[in-house]
């Protein structure tokens, strides 16, 4: 699954420790420490998505060129996240377009909310 792939890439950065509504907001992927979201946006025409990692870091990125628009994720996490996003760029754009049109995007979600 897409989110499994992203989670694996992000988990390789750190060594292991020693010890709802789809028309308004879509949680595209969620697995353990990683969440990718899109929302129906009234004030933002540029397609973008949000990544949250470890409940400590979050940022939003443009779909077209993967430019960071806001937030901050340390480079060691951002690089694998952007590598993943580059592979999923077409899917992210289709999801954005359908979400903004008010369409149900559940069929596009690669992994359902697992919390």
């Amino acid at each position: 699954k897409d989110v499994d792939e992203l989670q694996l890439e992000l988990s390789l950065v750190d060594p292991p420790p020693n010890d709802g509504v789809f028309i308004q907001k879509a949680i595209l992927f969620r697995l353990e420490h990683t969440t990718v979201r899109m929302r129906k946006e009234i004030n933002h025409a540029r397609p973008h998505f949000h990544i949250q990692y470890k409940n400590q870091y979050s940022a939003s990125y443009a779909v077209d060129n993967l430019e960071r628009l806001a937030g901050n994720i340390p480079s060691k996490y951002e690089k694998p996240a952007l590598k993943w996003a580059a592979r999923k760029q077409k899917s992210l754009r289709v999801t954005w377009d359908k979400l903004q049109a008010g369409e149900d995007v559940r069929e596009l979600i690669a992994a359902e909310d697992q919390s």
Side-chain angles (χ1 to χ4, degrees):
K1 293 185 181 189
D2 294 335
V3 74
D4 294 331
E5 183 182 332
L6 175 58
Q7 180 64 34
L8 176 62
E9 288 187 29
L10 290 173
S11 70
L12 294 174
V13 176
D14 283 333
N18 294 333
D19 55 29
V21 177
F22 285 94
I23 292 176
Q24 295 298 321
K25 177 178 174 182
I27 296 176
L28 303 181
F29 316 110
R30 179 180 286 168
L31 181 66
E32 295 181 30
H33 302 298
T34 308
T35 303
V36 180
R37 291 185 178 92
M38 274 187 185
R39 295 181 180 94
K40 182 173 182 174
E41 300 280 0
I42 296 170
N43 300 322
H44 300 1
R46 189 172 187 190
H48 65 281
F49 60 97
H50 305 266
I51 294 180
Q52 181 177 4
Y53 185 60
K54 291 187 172 183
N55 288 327
Q56 295 175 339
Y57 311 110
S58 64
S60 60
Y61 298 90
V63 172
D64 59 354
N65 64 1
L66 304 179
E67 170 190 8
R68 184 178 343 122
L69 303 173
N72 186 31
I73 294 179
S75 178
K76 67 182 184 176
Y77 302 126
E78 186 174 60
K79 285 180 184 178
L82 292 178
K83 183 178 173 186
W84 170 86
R87 290 192 305 270
K88 306 302 176 192
Q89 220 166 354
K90 184 176 179 180
S91 176
L92 290 167
R93 180 57 198 227
V94 169
T95 302
W96 172 271
D97 290 343
K98 288 185 177 253
L99 190 63
Q100 302 317 303
E103 295 180 33
D104 185 342
V105 297
R106 284 179 281 198
E107 76 279 1
L108 299 173
I109 307 306
E112 293 184 14
D113 180 4
Q114 297 183 13
S115 62

